[in-house]
């Protein structure tokens, strides 16, 4: 256990940051899954509405990944890998009509 005031404060700050980082990572996973679900929906029923749904969910996922990288929740290479993986899946879905 921490013995001085500054160490106790660092423990509080670390816990606060851990919770914020956890929410970012969780939301990135959720948006990735939603994008993949929308891709599957588009494969089953390729129309303009589903295509727009895929594109908007892709934009939201990219935006959140970029914010997480900016705030040092994710490493920049990790963020780039996540974006690349999602983008490749979306590209193959949208081009295979």
């Amino acid at each position: 256990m921490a013995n001085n005031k500054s160490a106790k404060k660092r423990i509080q700050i670390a816990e606060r940051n851990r919770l914020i980082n956890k929410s970012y990572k969780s939301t990135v996973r959720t948006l990735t899954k939603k994008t993949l679900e929308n891709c599957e929906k588009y494969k089953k029923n390729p129309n303009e509405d589903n295509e727009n749904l895929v594109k908007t969910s892709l934009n939201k996922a990219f935006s959140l990944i970029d914010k997480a990288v900016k705030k040092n929740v994710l490493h920049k290479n990790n963020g780039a890998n996540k974006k690349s993986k999602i983008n490749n899946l979306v590209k193959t879905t949208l081009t295979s009509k």
Side-chain angles (χ1 to χ4, degrees):
M1 191 63 202
N3 290 325
N4 55 24
K5 194 174 181 182
S6 63
K8 289 177 184 175
K9 185 174 181 181
R10 289 306 306 166
I11 290 171
Q12 289 176 334
I13 292 170
E15 179 63 16
R16 182 187 67 207
N17 290 343
R18 184 186 71 81
L19 294 174
I20 292 168
N21 293 348
K22 183 179 168 186
S23 73
Y24 263 102
K25 289 179 183 180
S26 173
T27 312
V28 165
R29 281 194 300 271
T30 303
L31 288 176
T32 302
K33 287 177 188 174
K34 282 190 178 179
T35 304
L36 298 179
E37 286 174 10
N38 290 335
C39 285
E40 292 300 319
K41 211 184 281 187
Y42 179 80
K43 281 183 183 177
K44 290 178 184 172
N45 185 12
N47 60 25
E48 197 171 317
D49 290 337
N50 286 341
E51 185 177 350
N52 289 336
L53 199 61
V54 170
K55 289 180 180 178
T56 55
S57 63
L58 180 70
N59 286 340
K60 285 182 184 176
F62 273 21
S63 175
L64 193 78
I65 290 170
D66 287 337
K67 284 179 186 174
V69 168
K70 182 178 162 187
K71 293 180 182 276
N72 289 325
V73 175
L74 298 174
H75 189 272
K76 65 179 183 177
N77 291 347
N78 187 282
N81 286 339
K82 287 183 187 301
K83 286 169 57 175
S84 174
K85 184 178 178 183
I86 299 169
N87 198 38
N88 286 338
L89 291 167
V90 169
K91 267 187 178 178
T92 56
T93 302
L94 293 179
T95 56
S96 62
K97 288 185 176 180

